[in-house]
Amino acid sequence: CSAYAPLPALDLRLRLAPPTLGVSRRQPSCSRRGLLCARAYVGNRLSSSVEVAVSKIFPAGAGWQTASIVAGNLNLSSSSAAFFITVGLGDFLGVFIGHTLFKLLKKTLSKDTSISMKSEVQTATLLGGAAFFSGSAWQPALNMMNAMNLNFTGAFVGVGIACTWAFFIGLRVWRRFLAPTMGAVERKNYQNLKSDVQLSIAIGSATAFFVGTDLTFGAANWLAGIVGIPETMSAFTGVCMAGISTSLGFMVAQLVMATLLLPNKCWIDPEPQFSN
């Protein structure tokens, strides 16, 4: 399962949408350096991250799990290309539908005329496309970790790294193909390279925590008691647990970045400023 994600995204600096995966937050002025200013930045970053988790990362995990159930009903082997593509599509649909529906509801309920649904659909296409890459890569990455006889922690790290790269490659590839025809998708440049890297790391963390849903690692799985999905669990509850696992991993990564990165140096800041 993967997640995921302006990619609560991760500069997803889309021409008409900020690099906050559709989340807008006014950052406080830091002319007065100090603890209060730092707390305000962290608070705003985490608040925006929660929006991303709800609208994209949870749906991505849930979409992957749902697609895996469909694949199982079709008797697709978890080592087959058909399975990989099916769950990748589940990831794509989770992100695309989650982002688009969230923005539509936000626009309708808040009467926010600044939200352009055309731009948001384009943003959802970019993020969903990248999620297809990471979602398709998750199972083969886990299969490889198992073939290497790695313990849970080794698989956790290995899958996270593999899916970080997969999501990042997906972002760069889809920027290349979508930017010429979609005004909300910024062309590749050095600035959004850095934001894409940060977003991909957060997505990688989400996919690593999704490994915690696999109980075949036994007692070595230190996430089993939190996000484990036993065979006796209902399909619906399992889908929800998958979304919780990816959201948890994403928020852990975001907490670290929100706390450690300087103002305007995080992908989720309204106007990130990265030096060349």
Side-chain angles (χ1 to χ4, degrees):
C1 154
S2 142
Y4 200 150
L7 52 349
L10 56 79
D11 184 354
L12 282 183
R13 188 160 21 177
L14 311 174
R15 293 191 189 109
L16 300 180
T20 54
L21 296 184
V23 179
S24 298
R25 287 285 186 273
R26 180 181 295 278
Q27 295 286 33
S29 170
C30 280
S31 55
R32 296 184 300 107
R33 301 290 178 182
L35 183 60
L36 290 179
C37 182
R39 285 178 176 175
Y41 260 96
V42 172
N44 283 354
R45 285 171 170 176
L46 292 180
S47 177
S48 297
S49 298
V50 169
E51 268 196 39
V52 174
V54 170
S55 63
K56 285 166 278 293
I57 309 304
F58 181 93
W64 194 102
Q65 184 69 12
T66 301
S68 73
I69 295 173
V70 172
N73 291 335
L74 294 175
N75 295 318
L76 299 180
S77 169
S78 60
S79 60
S80 67
F83 183 92
F84 305 155
I85 293 173
T86 300
V87 293
L89 287 174
D91 225 333
F92 167 81
L93 290 173
V95 172
F96 183 89
I97 295 173
H99 177 83
T100 304
L101 183 60
F102 182 87
K103 299 306 291 187
L104 179 61
L105 289 175
K106 186 174 182 179
K107 179 181 178 69
T108 302
L109 297 177
S110 66
K111 309 297 182 182
D112 188 349
T113 58
S114 68
I115 297 177
S116 166
M117 289 312 301
K118 178 181 178 180
S119 297
E120 298 304 338
V121 167
Q122 294 177 0
T123 300
T125 302
L126 170 66
L127 299 176
F132 173 79
F133 276 55
S134 56
S136 297
W138 189 89
Q139 188 65 55
L142 180 60
N143 292 348
M144 183 179 297
M145 300 304 112
N146 288 332
M148 297 169 63
N149 293 319
L150 296 182
N151 59 17
F152 174 76
T153 301
F156 176 92
V157 173
V159 170
I161 292 174
C163 290
T164 293
W165 275 105
F167 191 86
F168 174 74
I169 293 171
L171 281 176
R172 306 310 283 180
V173 167
W174 287 115
R175 280 191 186 281
R176 171 68 178 81
F177 287 106
L178 297 179
T181 58
M182 293 188 175
V185 178
E186 190 176 49
R187 292 180 183 271
K188 294 191 299 182
N189 58 49
Y190 188 72
Q191 296 294 313
N192 59 42
L193 171 68
K194 291 189 174 182
S195 285
D196 285 354
V197 167
Q198 290 182 1
L199 173 55
S200 299
I201 291 172
I203 298 303
S205 177
T207 63
F209 272 70
F210 188 63
V211 179
T213 62
D214 186 347
L215 299 183
T216 61
F217 289 97
N221 183 347
W222 37 268
L223 284 173
I226 303 174
V227 297
I229 301 180
E231 293 183 1
T232 55
M233 183 176 286
S234 70
F236 176 77
T237 305
V239 167
C240 293
M241 189 62 71
I244 291 172
S245 70
T246 53
S247 299
L248 178 61
F250 176 80
M251 289 305 300
V252 167
Q254 286 301 112
L255 176 61
V256 173
M257 283 192 271
T259 305
L260 299 182
L261 296 180
L262 295 174
N264 298 319
K265 296 298 183 181
C266 184
W267 70 269
I268 207 165
D269 292 335
E271 297 181 1
Q273 299 171 0
F274 297 111
S275 65
N276 291 326

